[in-house]
Amino acid sequence: MSDYYVGKKEYFPKVGKIKYEGPKSDNPLAFKYYDPEKKIGKKTMKDHLRFAVAYWHSFCADGTDPFGSATLAQPWKTDAKKPMDAAVHKLDAAFEFFSKLGVGYYCFHDRDLAPEGATPAESEKNLFTMVRKAKKLQKATGVKLLWGTANLFSHPRFMNGAATNPEFGVVALAATQVKAAIDATIELRGQGYTFWGGREGYMSLMNTDLKKEKDHLARFLIMARDYGRKHGFKGTFYIEPKPMEPAKHQYDFDTETVIGFLRHYGLDRDFRLNIEANHAELAGHDFIHELETAAAAGFFGSVDANRGDARNGWDTDQFPNSYYETALAMYAILRAGGFTTGGLNFDAKIRRNSIDHADLFLAHIGGMDAFAAGLVIADKMIADRKISAFVKKRYISFNTPEGVKFAGGKMTLEQLSAIGEKVGYGKAGLKSGKQEYLENLFNQYLLGL
Ligand code: XLS
Ligand code: CA
Ligand code: CA
């Protein structure tokens, strides 16, 4: 029996343990850049990148889209007659996949792990039956939970939102799920708990009290935070911004919006951001802009690693494959101090016509290689100091006593204006921003891989 599956059946029999073979390998089922134990600076690649697999895309989504039904063969579902049996098979398949791929973490929604029951109590029972099994598999494989979350958007009861629903009863039902999902996360020693604002937003302001809904959302998050802390959750709570889809407008629009919200409602100590590349794009931002914004405010937490499509205006959730993007992202992440409780969660799905047995592996291998390469490139950029030295020098005029006074809040507008009088027109020290030089330099780092 293979070391990499612990259930009764092997679900990926044609794939063994994925190994590092180096950039010259022509084996599609091998890593070209991701060499888990290789040290980059003080940490191994594995510890820098903290890869996680998203349970929902890889084991639940079946290729259904608005125009067509399931395309992906998922024997762990079709094998079973009862929903709970299917959940057990799915868990076995998932842990076989995690171990063969060699990722350290996974992430799930409550309903990914276990089906909803006839009552909230039965749903919780189902979840805990699966949590107990997951705990055993975590122990057997060493794979850990990066974060847990609750699905508060799929069921029709959440069509008008969860915490922001106009019906108090629905808000209370959302609480049954969040309470149980936090318990599950604690039980599985999850390092984080995520809130993505599924349908927390609105479709029309004609029927929406925006202020009330935002207040309710904050209330709900405060209760969840207090519950988690009271029951021993020491990890990080995350908010994952997204500007739209499924709602026309979502309250957690982007990083800056979420930071403002957290500060306004006093949630800034416990919550950090989980930034998704595709959501950044939907908000009209570069991924690195969102990372840098979070880091600058001390809110950087975790990443949902994927990509969108520059010409599609929706959440395509594709696997990341641009080394340009991953290098920029890792440059921001390393300068933010790297991950602590967070990691790189592949919130990405294979295309619905990727129906071969190994496609799920190939997708993850590509994403892991892209981030490993990004890490190596970013590490060189930092070590070389050319870019950081340039940026530092660009602001050197603020190192004068007057500049220091200004930045330290020790100057009035009158005083600043008097300095301006002295500087006079034509002597303000115009210097080139050197964008083209820096972009060329970046390409050199990229090719120097
Ligand atoms: C959907 C979100 C979702 C969260 C978890 O767009 O990305 O999958 O990451 O609820
Ligand atoms: Ca996500
Ligand atoms: Ca997404």
Side-chain angles (χ1 to χ4, degrees):
M1 193 197 210
S2 149
D3 287 347
Y4 301 106
Y5 74 101
V6 267
K8 290 201 189 82
K9 177 173 170 184
E10 189 171 16
Y11 284 97
F12 302 94
K14 291 190 198 131
V15 184
K17 172 84 180 166
I18 308 296
K19 299 197 184 77
Y20 169 74
E21 290 186 8
K24 296 220 165 68
S25 165
D26 57 8
N27 174 7
L29 285 165
F31 295 118
K32 315 295 179 301
Y33 294 104
Y34 181 56
D35 186 0
E37 300 304 333
K38 184 176 173 180
K39 281 251 177 104
I40 303 291
K42 291 203 180 83
K43 286 200 275 187
T44 59
M45 277 194 167
K46 188 174 77 187
D47 291 342
H48 272 293
L49 299 165
R50 294 168 57 88
F51 288 126
V53 170
Y55 209 89
W56 52 100
H57 279 314
S58 292
F59 304 100
C60 307
D62 55 11
T64 305
D65 78 1
F67 303 95
S69 50
T71 52
L72 307 174
Q74 294 178 316
W76 49 90
K77 282 189 192 164
T78 41
D79 267 7
K81 297 214 165 48
K82 292 193 210 128
M84 276 303 278
D85 291 343
V88 174
H89 294 179
K90 188 162 58 166
L91 191 76
D92 286 342
F95 273 84
E96 180 190 330
F97 181 80
F98 305 154
S99 329
K100 285 183 170 172
L101 185 63
V103 283
Y105 300 89
Y106 70 113
C107 298
F108 66 76
H109 297 88
D110 52 353
R111 298 299 187 252
D112 303 336
L113 215 58
E116 181 160 310
T119 61
E122 193 181 309
S123 300
E124 191 171 331
K125 194 169 150 246
N126 288 351
L127 180 63
F128 268 80
T129 303
M130 294 309 301
V131 163
R132 280 190 291 277
K133 291 189 189 299
K135 204 172 175 181
K136 284 194 191 137
L137 293 184
Q138 285 188 195
K139 205 164 168 227
T141 59
V143 176
K144 297 182 183 127
L145 178 64
L146 189 68
W147 50 259
T149 187
N151 180 333
L152 305 177
F153 43 89
S154 294
H155 195 279
R157 78 174 69 92
F158 297 123
M159 68 182 181
N160 290 313
T164 63
N165 199 292
E167 287 294 333
F168 181 54
V170 177
V171 178
L173 281 169
T176 65
Q177 277 187 243
V178 169
K179 181 174 158 294
I182 291 177
D183 287 341
T185 303
I186 294 172
E187 185 63 23
L188 293 171
R189 298 187 188 281
Q191 304 190 7
Y193 184 89
T194 295
F195 288 90
W196 165 60
R199 294 179 195 272
E200 313 293 25
Y202 62 82
M203 307 302 282
S204 167
L205 281 175
M206 299 301 282
N207 60 15
T208 302
D209 184 336
L210 181 145
K211 179 177 183 320
K212 200 184 260 300
E213 292 199 357
K214 281 171 78 173
D215 286 348
H216 289 174
L217 178 57
R219 230 337 86 222
F220 193 93
L221 294 175
I222 289 166
M223 290 163 104
R225 188 261 328 258
D226 291 348
Y227 178 82
R229 293 299 182 226
K230 195 165 82 191
H231 289 83
F233 176 63
K234 296 204 171 56
T236 311
F237 289 100
Y238 301 113
I239 303 263
E240 181 182 324
K242 186 175 183 180
M244 65 190 91
E245 199 200 326
K248 168 192 155 65
H249 178 95
Q250 306 218 170
Y251 295 130
D252 301 328
F253 191 94
D254 63 359
T255 297
E256 203 72 82
T257 309
V258 171
I259 292 172
F261 175 91
L262 292 174
R263 285 183 172 149
H264 181 71
Y265 290 102
L267 286 160
D268 44 324
R269 281 169 65 104
D270 300 86
F271 282 78
R272 293 290 170 267
L273 274 93
N274 179 39
I275 294 173
E276 180 177 316
N278 203 160
H279 298 180
E281 183 166 7
L282 290 178
H285 299 307
D286 289 340
F287 182 28
I288 193 177
H289 168 85
E290 290 290 82
L291 295 171
E292 199 82 25
T293 302
F299 280 85
F300 172 70
S302 202
V303 165
D304 270 8
N306 61 11
R307 74 177 208 271
D309 181 288
R311 273 162 294 284
N312 283 165
W314 67 85
D315 199 11
T316 61
D317 283 342
Q318 286 166 262
F319 278 83
N321 64 359
S322 157
Y323 288 23
Y324 198 98
E325 286 290 322
T326 56
L328 285 176
M330 288 313 301
Y331 186 60
I333 293 168
L334 289 182
R335 284 180 306 116
F339 292 115
T340 51
T341 54
L344 289 163
N345 169 45
F346 288 110
D347 193 355
K349 56 179 180 247
I350 48 175
R351 300 302 89 187
R352 71 191 293 272
N353 56 355
S354 298
I355 57 170
D356 286 349
H357 189 74
D359 287 335
L360 192 60
F361 281 93
L362 297 174
H364 282 87
I365 291 169
M368 291 162 80
D369 270 340
F371 268 95
L375 168 65
V376 172
I377 298 161
D379 180 65
K380 275 200 207 139
M381 285 163 71
I382 291 172
D384 208 26
R385 294 213 179 103
K386 279 203 185 104
I387 296 178
S388 57
F390 179 88
V391 174
K392 203 167 166 201
K393 204 166 154 213
R394 200 166 178 224
Y395 297 88
I396 205 148
S397 58
F398 286 84
N399 294 356
T400 56
E402 284 156 334
V404 170
K405 260 183 154 183
F406 162 83
K410 305 229 160 57
M411 190 177 274
T412 63
L413 187 65
E414 292 91 318
Q415 289 167 331
L416 184 61
S417 157
I419 295 170
E421 296 273 348
K422 267 200 263 157
V423 172
Y425 296 140
K427 285 184 268 168
L430 302 183
K431 285 190 206 98
S432 170
K434 290 269 169 233
Q435 184 173 328
E436 296 79 5
Y437 157 71
L438 294 161
E439 285 171 350
N440 294 351
L441 190 62
F442 177 70
N443 277 345
Q444 269 183 290
Y445 291 120
L446 207 65
L447 289 172
L449 189 67

